[in-house]
Structures are given as C-alpha cells and as structure tokens.
C-alpha cells in the first residue's frame, strides 16, 4: 500500500513537499513515480525515482522537481519549487513497473497553492 | 491538449459493448506499449490493461485492449453501472522522453 502525506496548502512561490510511505514491501527494487491531476483535468506524470538515486522527470516540470527516497523509512518524496496556482492538484504516488505502468497507486492528496 | 487523444465522453446502456479510442503518433503508441487506467472519483486509479492487451489478475475479461499502428482501443463488453468512470490511456513517448496520459474519457452508463 502507498500513502501520501504532506501539507494541503502551500503559498505561491514556495516549495511543495510530499512524502509517500510504502507498506507491504521494500522500495528498494522498484521505480516509484508521482502523478498529479488538477481539478477537472487529466492525469500528468511528474517523474520517477529509483532508490539507487536514479531519477527522470517530465520535461515540463524538470526545472522545478526533485525526487528522493529513504530506504530505511521505506519512503520517497517529491519537492516542487516555485509553485503557482497551476500546481494545485491531487498528487498521487505510485509504483512504476520497468515497462512503464503504474500499480498500485496511493489514494491521492489534494494540494492547493494559495496565499 | 494531450499528445494522446481520447474522446472526452462515451456512453452505453447496460449489457452493451463500448469502445474508447486513443490516438497517438510514431514516437509513443507507434513504438511503445499502451496502458489503460480506470479512475473513479475519490479513489486511486487502477490499471486495467498493460502491454497493449494484457489484463492484470482480478480485472474481468469484459475489459480488453488492442493496438494498431499509432492507435489503441479499450473495449468494455457487458457494460455495467459500476463501469461508470474516467478511463485514461498512457504510454512512453520517445521524443519527449516522458510518460504521457491521454486526456481521459468519461464513460456514462445510461
């Protein structure tokens, strides 16, 4: 199971920080991703993380995204800097297979960017 | 506007067969696997189809996927009220070096 956590409200220009806690298995041997969905819109892939430290980010968000992980806590995290209202969305974490599909997903955490 | 193009809506009556299309290009669908997800509001998305036409265990065989050239389709037969959800196609794009999702199709069971 995956569970997202973090603040539900972030001020414009600040950094959005979320954590995904994985239970029922180690994060060590899989890719992990963050995906978001703005209200009324479709899904958007943010990037993927491998516990060895390898990362790959969506070109549209690459300049603002950092993903990392803590194997000892079985957690991985997302940092998105310089946020604006356009970053308001439900954020999901998910395990990503080596062939590119996402399963399972977390329940999602809504994040609003507003002053 | 998504690079993977889906119709915004689809509908059918119970028992009918419905098909949802996903149109892409040679850099995504044309050269990589397609995946399909079902998303009910307020829940976690669920993978229905992987590697174009494979069903994970637990997904009913009423759901089937296919791919031809730069297009893919999800078919749902024996439509049920619980199938009312948003459906997304997805896959890797070699040119963008990114996972892409289609814009999503809202399926209504009338």
């Amino acid at each position: 199971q995956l569970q997202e956590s973090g603040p539900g409200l972030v001020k414009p220009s600040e950094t959005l920080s979320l954590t995904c806690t994985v239970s029922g298995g180690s994060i060590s041997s899989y890719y992990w991703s963050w995906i978001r969905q703005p209200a009324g819109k479709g899904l958007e892939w943010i990037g993927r993380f491998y516990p060895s430290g390898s990362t790959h980010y969506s070109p549209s968000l690459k300049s603002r995204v950092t993903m990392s992980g803590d194997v000892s806590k079985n957690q991985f995290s997302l940092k998105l800097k310089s946020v604006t209202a356009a970053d308001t969305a439900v954020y999901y974490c998910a395990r990503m297979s080596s062939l590119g599909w996402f399963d399972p997903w977390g329940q999602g955490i809504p994040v609003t960017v507003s002053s | 506007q998504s690079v993977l193009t889906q119709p915004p809506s689809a509908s059918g009556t119970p028992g009918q067969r419905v098909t949802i299309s996903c149109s892409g290009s040679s850099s995504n669908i044309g050269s990589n696997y397609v995946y399909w997800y079902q998303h009910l509001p307020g829940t976690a998305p669920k993978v229905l189809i992987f590697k174009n036409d494979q069903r994970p265990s637990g997904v009913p065989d009423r759901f089937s996927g296919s791919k031809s050239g730069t297009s893919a389709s999800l078919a749902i037969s024996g439509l049920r009220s619980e199938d009312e959800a948003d459906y997304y196609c997805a896959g890797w794009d070699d040119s963008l070096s990114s996972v892409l999702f289609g814009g999503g199709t809202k399926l209504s069971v009338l």
Side-chain angles (χ1 to χ4, degrees), chain A residues 43-103:
Chain A
L43 300 167
E44 179 184 21
W45 182 68
I46 299 171
R48 76 174 183 216
F49 160 80
Y50 194 78
S52 67
S54 166
T55 56
H56 189 97
Y57 305 136
S58 166
S60 64
L61 296 168
K62 186 176 180 179
S63 63
R64 299 193 292 130
V65 172
T66 303
M67 293 182 185
S68 60
D70 186 332
V71 175
S72 65
K73 294 182 179 179
N74 229 32
Q75 296 176 331
F76 62 102
S77 64
L78 167 71
K79 291 188 186 299
L80 181 64
K81 65 181 182 182
S82 306
V83 297
T84 69
D87 296 309
T88 294
V90 176
Y91 286 75
Y92 297 94
C93 59
R95 188 175 69 185
M96 184 178 181
S97 79
S98 58
L99 291 178
W101 76 87
F102 305 106
D103 181 60

Side-chain angles (χ1 to χ4, degrees), chain B residues 60-106:
Chain B
D61 59 6
R62 301 187 297 108
F63 295 90
S64 62
S66 64
K67 180 180 119 171
S68 178
T70 59
S71 293
S73 293
L74 172 71
I76 309 171
S77 59
L79 203 59
R80 298 183 178 185
S81 58
E82 58 260 39
D83 297 333
E84 195 162 272
D86 296 323
Y87 292 85
Y88 294 89
C89 61
W92 184 260
D93 187 286
D94 292 329
S95 296
L96 297 174
S97 194
S98 179
V99 171
L100 296 179
F101 285 93
T105 298
K106 186 174 188 63

Side-chain angles (χ1 to χ4, degrees), chain A residues 9-22:
Chain A
L9 180 65
V10 182
K11 289 183 169 54
S13 80
E14 295 189 345
T15 297
L16 179 161
S17 295
L18 297 175
T19 297
C20 183
T21 300
V22 179

